[in-house]
Amino acid sequence: MSSELDILLADGFTLYESGSLTLAEQKFCQVLEVDSSHPQALCGLGMLYYRQGRYEDALDYLEQSLKFDANQASCHYTRGLVLAKLGYLAEAKTAYHQAVIVDPSYLNAYSELGNVCIEIGELTPAETAYRERIALSPDWQSYVSLGHLFIAQQRVDEAISAYQTALELQPRHPEILSSLGIAFAAKNHPDSSLYLGFSAYRKQEYETAIAHYQQFQNTHDGEIEFYLALTDCYQQLNQWEEAISTYRQGIALHREAVELYLSFILALQNCGKIEEARQIAAEGLAVLPYCLSLKLEKIRLFPVLYQNSEQLEFYRNRFITELDDLIQNCALNTEFAQKQAFNAIAVNTNFYLQYQGKNDLKLQQKYGQFVHQVMAANYPQWVKPLPMPTLKSGERIRIGYISACLQWHTVGMVFSGWLEHRNREDFEVYCYDVGQQRDRLTDWFRLNSDYFYSIPDDIPAVCQQIQQDSLHILVFLDIGMYAPMTQLASLRLAPVQCVAWGHPITSGLPTQDYFISSDLMEPENAQTHYSEQLIRLPNLGIYFPKPQIPEVNQNRADYGIPDDAVMYLSCQSLFKYLPEYDIIFPAICQRVAKAKLVFIGHKNHPITAQFCQRLDAAFGEVGLNYQKFCIILPRQSKRDYWNLLSMADIGLDTFEFTGFLTTLEAVAVNLPIVTHLGPFMRGRQSAGILTRVGATETIAQTLQDYIKIAVTLGLTREWREAIATQMTQGHQFLYEDTSGVKALENFYRTMVEERG
């Protein structure tokens, strides 16, 4: 019975940590039904009720627990938290003190002890508590608390020192930056505006940040980081002229600052000024002639949006020629050259290349081989073949998943089912988060992994951890969106390495063995598009839950759309819209008099303006005014996006690079979608989804076919309703499909068996 209670108790605390409080409560209560005096179960309920805000109940269970076992530091600590919430500060202080007596290494108890001492005016014991916490394990929060204490005592210089130490431990944290700004203000020091500016910037309060930065500029020149932050503030507010002017100020002061040139180049690309961006790269190279980073960024400057097909061909051909030249002339025979090349490939990827609708296999292989050679020169210890670890009796197969997008991003959302619905008896999952952003989905990945590592901005540390874990198989969920992912993928960190379609294009890397894809989204000749061996998982290859659709809380009038309009929603990122297909929009509107075409603008207004210019030209060719038929909405919140999906009549997909997550969501509201069957997987994603739900009538084979389908849908409500019914019936096949997960795991088993 004891072992059963231990299992129940362990399950309860696991559920508690994951936030599943109702289920955790059930587990703790089951333990108490067998043993009503079980101290850990009583403590668990006390902790749980504290998190629920049921403080009186929490206090009751915690005190019962301590009667049966007074040597529970966490119980004393939680009792202190409860007493503090109830206003019994002296008693809370005693509880925290008791926690550190039971466990002298209980770090949080020292922090809370210091906090409650400050609240009751006992500043010297508070300082002692913080310093004891720091002596055990220095952390930025304790230094901030110590700094706040010093401010209260008017020990401003000591406060500044404490805050600066905190900033070394947690760079760029807005709370620390704000505290430093306030401390410097107490000394009338000009750095006050600088730190307050950085704090506002990190909190995405861009207008406030600009005001502080401008105040600082009145008396001082900024360092490189200052100009990078200020220019980004202007860009976030779509104040492009101010951003460009500020970049020039920064470069005039810091002529050899590669970071400023690179950021300026990207800013100009993001506002549609490609040739100006190349000129800045040239200016930088005149000062820094050996800077490979500037050379490479100059080469891969593609427009976010093309004005015509001839422009696309021009930029593509120039990229091919200049990339060849750079690779041929890039020597890696000195340590300096190796480091230069490493820095160059760490800046960016060929992201926009993949949106030209061409076969990029040879280009990807050329660039992939180059990246591999650069990384091999810098890290020769991580390019050697690795033997498959022997799978011992009772041991699970070790699978690693690595991404910079383990968050509320398409990649994280699409592939989370591979973890959640895995066979936990056979597979042990290791997750490596190498990105900068964290959110609730990141926490979900942490809880659903056997081992989870967050290692941003440190390629050697990632490599060391992966090899230490002795994986059987490593899966890169996406390659091509984040430069360090490409760098890591070019090394040999596991015996078998795979890339999934988080960015649906071959990696071109010689170190990637398999490309994991979906059978329904690949053409028959798909293997010829990949440098890796193609693995076609059945159906869509993923487990995707049926979306929970929020109730519509707005109507068409809120978006400027007439109630009697035939609403066509085309909500892809604007860089997916190729100019050769602009003719579909006026062609639809010529035949559907009440058509309203709704698009989502780019986050950068100049790009949206360029798209409007294209629409103007396309509609003008047939004598129509695009503004009569087209509505360009700003980027939407998730709730507002669901509103749009729910009120639309028809979805218009893009050519050559279709939607995927957007299509999964559109099908959930049974929105008929017109899509085109492209030659490559990235142009067939929506077609695969529609095939799975049995709504294939809206999959076009040609451009004219696409227009015909879109027009007929607009004129025939009955057909729209029939397709919606087909989609409803097909939901059972599309969502919550485990076949892809099972096939993936069979592939894993085969790899380990064959190579073991």
Side-chain angles (χ1 to χ4, degrees):
M1 180 61 70
S2 177
S3 62
E4 292 178 12
L5 292 183
D6 289 343
I7 292 171
L8 283 171
L9 192 68
D11 288 345
F13 279 109
T14 299
L15 290 164
Y16 168 81
E17 292 295 335
S18 70
S20 302
L21 301 186
T22 301
L23 294 175
E25 182 179 16
Q26 292 173 4
K27 297 292 184 182
F28 293 138
C29 288
Q30 284 179 269
V31 174
L32 292 174
E33 286 174 6
V34 177
D35 180 359
S36 61
S37 62
H38 198 293
Q40 284 77 36
L42 290 165
C43 180
L45 280 176
M47 294 165 65
L48 187 149
Y49 293 146
Y50 166 72
R51 281 181 63 176
Q52 292 179 328
R54 297 166 56 183
Y55 300 127
E56 295 291 351
D57 291 336
L59 190 60
D60 180 38
Y61 278 95
L62 292 167
E63 290 181 344
Q64 284 187 59
S65 176
L66 289 170
K67 284 181 183 178
F68 295 112
D69 182 2
N71 290 316
Q72 298 180 85
S74 61
C75 200
H76 286 292
Y77 171 73
T78 309
R79 181 171 176 268
L81 295 175
V82 173
L83 289 165
K85 287 289 186 182
L86 293 171
Y88 302 119
L89 301 184
E91 291 86 347
K93 173 189 169 185
T94 301
Y96 295 137
H97 187 67
Q98 193 62 40
V100 298
I101 290 174
V102 173
D103 181 1
S105 64
Y106 204 124
L107 301 178
N108 288 343
Y110 288 105
S111 299
E112 293 299 336
L113 178 57
N115 294 344
V116 79
C117 284
I118 287 179
E119 286 195 66
I120 59 181
E122 298 179 3
L123 302 187
T124 300
E127 181 177 348
T128 300
Y130 292 142
R131 291 195 181 280
E132 287 176 339
R133 167 69 170 84
I134 289 168
L136 285 168
S137 178
D139 71 308
W140 69 270
Q141 293 101 325
S142 295
Y143 279 106
V144 168
S145 297
L146 197 57
H148 292 347
L149 174 61
F150 291 148
I151 289 290
Q153 296 174 310
Q154 297 185 337
R155 296 157 64 182
V156 178
D157 288 335
E158 291 175 88
I160 290 172
S161 178
Y163 294 143
Q164 287 174 333
T165 303
L167 199 60
E168 291 173 7
L169 294 169
Q170 191 73 18
R172 300 182 292 277
H173 194 285
E175 180 186 344
I176 307 171
L177 292 164
S178 177
S179 298
L180 270 168
I182 293 168
F184 277 116
K187 294 170 65 70
N188 293 317
H189 195 288
D191 280 357
S192 172
S193 297
L194 181 65
Y195 283 109
L196 290 173
F198 279 129
S199 176
Y201 172 58
R202 296 299 168 191
K203 290 186 281 189
Q204 300 181 357
E205 298 169 356
Y206 301 115
E207 292 179 348
T208 302
I210 289 170
H212 285 303
Y213 287 145
Q214 288 176 337
Q215 186 174 350
F216 176 78
Q217 269 188 308
N218 289 336
T219 56
H220 287 75
D221 292 327
E223 297 297 326
I224 295 169
E225 188 177 1
F226 169 85
Y227 286 101
L228 290 171
L230 179 53
T231 51
D232 190 46
C233 287
Y234 285 128
Q235 290 175 74
Q236 295 293 338
L237 297 172
N238 271 287
Q239 297 176 15
W240 292 96
E241 293 306 317
E242 292 87 344
I244 290 169
S245 174
T246 305
Y247 273 119
R248 294 198 178 279
Q249 292 173 26
I251 287 174
L253 287 168
H254 305 283
R255 292 189 69 245
E256 296 188 0
V258 177
E259 308 99 301
L260 278 173
Y261 287 109
L262 290 171
S263 185
F264 194 6
I265 290 166
L266 182 61
L268 289 167
Q269 181 185 39
N270 286 337
C271 67
K273 298 178 182 290
I274 300 301
E275 293 309 310
E276 291 91 331
R278 281 178 64 89
Q279 180 57 40
I280 294 301
E283 290 176 19
L285 286 166
V287 179
L288 302 160
Y290 301 107
C291 182
L292 196 64
S293 297
L294 287 172
K295 291 180 181 178
L296 185 54
E297 289 315 294
K298 183 182 178 185
I299 289 169
R300 59 174 158 216
L301 274 169
F302 293 109
V304 177
L305 205 68
Y306 297 99
Q307 290 307 299
N308 51 59
S309 298
E310 292 74 24
Q311 187 189 46
L312 186 155
E313 291 297 335
F314 169 78
Y315 280 102
R316 184 177 181 85
N317 291 333
R318 185 166 71 180
F319 171 78
I320 293 169
T321 301
E322 293 184 351
L323 181 64
D324 279 344
D325 184 63
L326 180 137
I327 291 173
Q328 289 173 13
N329 291 286
C330 180
L332 298 171
N333 53 357
T334 67
E335 187 175 342
F336 174 77
Q338 293 165 6
K339 187 65 176 175
Q340 281 272 302
F342 174 85
N343 291 337
I345 62 173
V347 174
N348 219 326
T349 69
N350 301 331
F351 178 76
Y352 287 113
L353 176 70
Q354 276 82 66
Y355 293 89
Q356 295 178 339
K358 309 291 185 181
N359 189 340
D360 295 328
L361 174 61
K362 291 183 179 179
L363 280 174
Q364 287 291 92
Q365 286 179 302
K366 182 173 293 183
Y367 184 71
Q369 186 63 41
F370 173 61
V371 172
H372 172 65
Q373 289 172 351
V374 171
M375 294 300 289
N378 282 274
Y379 298 111
Q381 70 273 34
W382 289 318
V383 293
K384 300 171 184 175
L386 295 171
M388 180 66 72
T390 301
L391 193 63
K392 299 174 184 175
S393 177
E395 198 174 36
R396 293 183 292 173
I397 295 173
R398 294 182 291 281
I399 307 296
Y401 293 107
I402 182 168
S403 179
C405 303
L406 301 181
Q407 54 194 265
W408 287 114
H409 181 283
T410 298
V411 172
M413 296 169 69
V414 165
F415 296 114
S416 60
W418 284 359
L419 277 73
E420 184 177 9
H421 295 279
R422 71 183 185 275
N423 182 327
R424 294 170 189 264
E425 293 182 2
D426 292 352
F427 296 95
E428 189 169 67
V429 164
Y430 296 70
C431 268
Y432 306 92
D433 176 18
V434 298
Q436 300 285 348
Q437 304 296 321
R438 308 282 181 276
D439 58 27
R440 289 180 62 187
L441 190 57
T442 312
D443 295 334
W444 183 95
F445 273 100
R446 186 185 302 276
L447 290 167
N448 280 273
S449 305
D450 294 291
Y451 299 90
F452 183 94
Y453 307 96
S454 180
I455 315 176
D457 302 323
D458 195 337
I459 283 178
V462 177
C463 296
Q464 289 165 5
Q465 186 61 61
I466 291 174
Q467 289 216 334
Q468 180 181 319
D469 292 334
S470 189
L471 301 176
H472 295 95
I473 299 170
L474 176 61
V475 181
F476 293 79
L477 295 178
D478 55 282
I479 298 175
M481 295 188 292
Y482 180 60
M485 279 290 289
T486 307
Q487 290 176 293
L488 287 162
S490 72
L491 300 171
R492 174 58 67 178
L493 304 174
V496 173
Q497 298 189 158
C498 312
V499 54
W501 74 93
H503 189 53
I505 181 78
T506 180
S507 71
L509 294 166
T511 48
Q512 292 301 307
D513 306 306
Y514 298 94
F515 191 99
I516 301 172
S517 187
S518 150
D519 188 52
L520 286 180
M521 295 190 292
E522 292 285 1
E524 289 185 11
N525 66 336
Q527 182 59 69
T528 63
H529 304 154
Y530 296 96
S531 59
E532 309 88 354
Q533 184 174 335
L534 184 63
I535 303 299
R536 304 171 69 128
L537 299 180
N539 304 326
L540 294 189
I542 59 169
Y543 178 100
F544 193 82
K546 186 175 181 179
Q548 299 296 311
I549 303 165
E551 185 178 345
V552 175
N553 64 349
Q554 289 184 298
N555 56 43
R556 286 188 172 190
D558 294 318
Y559 297 92
I561 304 167
D563 284 338
D564 65 344
V566 178
M567 178 181 166
Y568 291 87
L569 177 62
S570 191
C571 56
Q572 297 304 311
S573 298
L574 292 190
F575 49 77
K576 288 186 177 182
Y577 292 81
L578 293 173
E580 65 187 282
Y581 301 112
D582 288 351
I583 61 172
I584 67 171
F585 304 124
I588 292 168
C589 296
Q590 279 181 302
R591 304 173 203 180
V592 183
K594 291 188 176 182
K596 278 291 181 183
L597 276 56
V598 179
F599 302 92
I600 305 296
H602 195 275
K603 66 177 180 178
N604 300 330
H605 294 173
I607 302 302
T608 303
Q610 289 183 354
F611 184 64
C612 290
Q613 289 171 7
R614 276 182 24 190
L615 289 177
D616 189 27
F619 277 76
E621 285 286 324
V622 296
L624 296 178
N625 181 351
Y626 88 95
Q627 292 181 323
K628 178 182 176 182
F629 296 96
C630 299
I631 296 176
I632 315 293
L633 295 175
R635 293 168 73 85
Q636 303 289 297
S637 69
K638 196 64 180 176
R639 179 65 178 266
D640 289 342
Y641 171 68
W642 279 111
N643 284 331
L644 287 172
L645 282 179
S646 298
M647 65 180 65
D649 294 307
I650 301 148
L652 295 179
D653 202 9
T654 38
F655 286 66
E656 310 303 354
F657 204 128
T658 70
F660 183 63
L661 180 61
T662 50
T663 304
L664 287 169
E665 292 171 334
V667 170
V669 299
N670 302 313
L671 178 66
I673 301 163
V674 189
T675 192
H676 175 258
L677 200 63
F680 310 111
M681 184 265 202
R682 58 191 183 276
R684 304 168 71 95
Q685 297 175 98
S686 294
I689 293 169
L690 295 182
T691 299
R692 186 62 179 152
V693 294
T696 57
E697 294 173 273
T698 60
I699 302 173
Q701 302 291 329
T702 66
L703 184 148
Q704 291 304 321
D705 191 24
Y706 185 105
I707 295 170
K708 181 180 178 182
I709 293 168
V711 168
T712 307
L713 281 171
L715 298 175
T716 316
R717 178 185 293 273
E718 294 78 12
W719 192 27
R720 298 200 299 267
E721 292 173 350
I723 290 171
T725 300
Q726 285 179 319
M727 287 182 169
T728 301
Q729 295 169 348
H731 285 181
Q732 61 181 313
F733 305 111
L734 178 64
Y735 303 113
E736 298 165 15
D737 178 9
T738 60
S739 61
V741 182
K742 292 175 181 176
L744 179 67
E745 293 182 344
N746 286 336
F747 163 69
Y748 291 158
R749 291 187 186 95
T750 300
M751 287 298 98
V752 174
E753 289 171 4
E754 289 181 354
R755 303 196 182 200

